[in-house]
Amino acid sequence: MSTPRRPNQAVSEFARFLRTETTGGIILLVATAIALLWANSALGDVYRAVRDFEIGPEALHLHLSVGDWAKDGLLALFFFVVGLELKRELVVGELSDIKAAALPIVAALGGMLVPAGIALTVGWGEPGIEQAWAIPVATDIAFALGVLALTGSNLPGAARVFLLSLAVVDDLGAIIVIAVLFTASFNLLAAGIAVVGLALYAYLQHKRVRAWWIYVPLAAVVWVAVHSSGIHATIAGVALGLLTRVRPDPGEHEAPALRLEHRLQPWSAGVAVPVFALFAAGIAISADSLGAVFSNPISLAVLVGLLLGKVVGILGASALAVRTRLARLPSTLGWLDLGALSMLGAVGFTVSLLIAELALDGELVDLAKAAVLLASAVASLSAAVLLLRRSKVHARGAPGEPSD
C-alpha cells in the first residue's frame, strides 16, 4: 500500500519538473526564433494573416483570431499546470513549511513590487502606463529553469528549490494581476455558470470521481463561462488546478494533481507555450524599432523594470528578510549564488508577453514586446555567465562566502 506523499519527496518531483521545463524552454526559444524570422522575412504578411485569421462560433463570443486562441485557449492549459504546481507546493511541497518558504515568498514579493514601482516611475504620465507597469512583474519559469539546468549543474539543490518556489509565488502574483487589472467588463450570468462549474468540479474531486469524460466537458464549460464573464480565460485554468486534489488516498498510487501534471506538463511546456510564443513574439525588428525601445517611456519602463527591478527586488528583499531574521538563507547557498538566481528572475517572457498584449495596443504592444524579448535575452545570458562561475566554485567545494 502506498503512503501519502511527504514534503521531502518534492526533490524527485522537482527533478522531473525541471527536465520537462528545460526541454520546454528550448522549444520555446526555437518557437520565438521562428516567429521573429518569419515576421521579418518576405513571408511576413503570411505570418500576420495566419495570426489574425478568425475562427470559432460567434454565438458563444468565440469568433477569435488564431493569436487570441493561443493566448486565451492554449495558455489556459499552461495556467492549469501552474495551478496544479501551486496547489501541490502549498499543500505538500516546499511552500507548505512557512519557515522554509519565507525566503522565496519574500523574494518573490520584492521581485514583483520593485519592478512595478520602477516601471511606474520611468513611465509616469505616459498613456498606457496605468496597466503597462504590470508587464515586468512576471518571471518565466520555463526559461529560468532551463538556464539553471544548463549552466548551474553543480549548484546545491537549495538553489533549484529557491528558484522554483519563487517562480510559483511569482506566478500567483501574475494571476492576481491578470484577474484584477484586466477585467474590463463583468457578465454576472456567465460568472455564475463558471462558479457552479467550479463547485461541481470540486465536488467530483471530493467524491473521488476519476472519469475524464466528465472532467473534460466540464472544464470546457468553465473556460467558456469565464471567457464570457469578462475575466481573462486563463483564470479558469488556474481555478481548476487549485481545486484538484493533491493528497493521495490510502492505496492510491498518486494523487490526481500529480497524475495530471505528469500527463499535461509536456503538452503545456512543449506545445501550448511555444505556440503562444510563435504568435506573440513575431514583431517587426529594425534599427529604428530597436532604437525606439530605448527612447519610448513605456518600453524603457518595461526594460528597466525587468533588468534592474527584478534583480534589486529579489536580492534586496532576500537580504532584508535575512537581516531581520524573518527568513534564513540556506547554509549551502551564498549571496553570490542568490545574485545569479535573482538575475534569472528578470527573464519575463511568456507571462510578460501575455500582459503586454492585454495592457497595450497599436505600436506600443510591439515596443513592449521588444523590450521583454531584449530584457529576457540579456538576463538569460548574464545569468548563464554568473551561474557557470558559481557552478565552478561549488564544484571545488567552496561556496565562496558566508551564508549569513
Side-chain angles (χ1 to χ4, degrees), residues 21-255:
E21 290 297 331
T22 301
T23 304
I26 295 172
I27 298 173
L28 180 58
L29 184 61
V30 172
T32 303
I34 292 174
L36 289 170
L37 291 172
W38 189 4
N40 291 278
S41 70
L43 298 175
D45 290 339
V46 176
Y47 171 84
R48 286 176 281 275
V50 172
R51 181 194 61 193
D52 299 336
F53 180 76
E54 294 187 349
I55 188 173
E58 183 67 52
L60 295 176
H61 305 288
L62 293 176
H63 191 65
L64 308 174
S65 69
V66 171
D68 284 338
W69 274 110
K71 178 178 65 179
D72 295 350
L74 287 179
L75 278 194
L77 175 62
F78 164 75
F79 276 101
F80 177 63
V81 174
V82 167
L84 292 173
E85 182 66 20
L86 176 60
K87 176 74 174 287
R88 188 164 61 80
E89 286 298 311
L90 288 171
V91 176
V92 298
E94 287 297 322
L95 298 180
S96 62
D97 182 353
I98 190 61
K99 290 184 178 179
L103 184 63
I105 289 175
V106 172
L109 290 174
M112 290 184 282
L113 294 175
V114 176
I118 289 178
L120 276 170
T121 302
V122 174
W124 188 260
E126 289 294 315
I129 194 60
E130 61 274 6
Q131 290 184 316
W133 62 264
I135 298 172
V137 164
T139 293
D140 189 284
I141 192 170
F143 256 103
L145 290 175
V147 173
L148 178 63
L150 292 172
T151 60
S153 57
N154 292 316
L155 286 177
R160 295 166 175 80
V161 172
F162 172 83
L163 183 62
L164 175 60
S165 302
L166 181 145
V168 168
V169 177
D170 190 282
D171 281 337
L172 177 60
I175 290 162
I176 295 172
V177 167
I178 291 171
V180 174
L181 200 61
F182 302 109
T183 302
S185 58
F186 190 71
N187 185 313
L188 188 59
L189 176 61
I193 294 173
V195 170
V196 171
L198 290 170
L200 179 57
Y201 181 91
Y203 176 78
L204 294 173
Q205 285 287 297
H206 177 70
K207 290 298 183 180
R208 289 0 186 213
V209 175
R210 296 183 60 175
W212 65 267
W213 50 271
I214 295 178
Y215 285 116
V216 172
L218 179 59
V221 169
V222 171
W223 180 85
V224 172
V226 172
H227 184 276
S228 300
S229 72
I231 302 172
H232 196 266
T234 53
I235 302 301
V238 178
L240 290 167
L242 290 174
L243 291 173
T244 304
R245 184 165 56 88
V246 297
R247 293 187 185 276
D249 291 331
E252 190 175 25
H253 179 62
E254 57 186 4

Side-chain angles (χ1 to χ4, degrees), residues 151 154-155 386-398:
T151 60
N154 292 316
L155 286 177
L386 295 173
L387 288 168
L388 284 171
R389 295 185 65 179
R390 297 307 303 156
S391 188
K392 290 179 180 178
V393 170
H394 281 279
R396 295 196 299 267

Side-chain angles (χ1 to χ4, degrees), residues 110-112 114-120 122 132-140 170 298-314 341-353 355-356 367-380:
M112 290 184 282
V114 176
I118 289 178
L120 276 170
V122 174
W133 62 264
I135 298 172
V137 164
T139 293
D140 189 284
D170 190 282
I298 297 294
S299 55
L300 194 59
V302 173
L303 190 67
V304 178
L306 279 171
L307 287 178
L308 178 62
K310 278 290 186 180
V311 178
V312 172
I314 294 172
L341 295 172
S342 299
M343 180 58 73
L344 270 183
V347 182
F349 212 82
T350 305
V351 181
S352 290
L353 289 176
I355 295 176
L367 285 175
K369 286 182 180 180
V372 170
L373 295 177
L374 183 58
S376 298
V378 171
S380 298

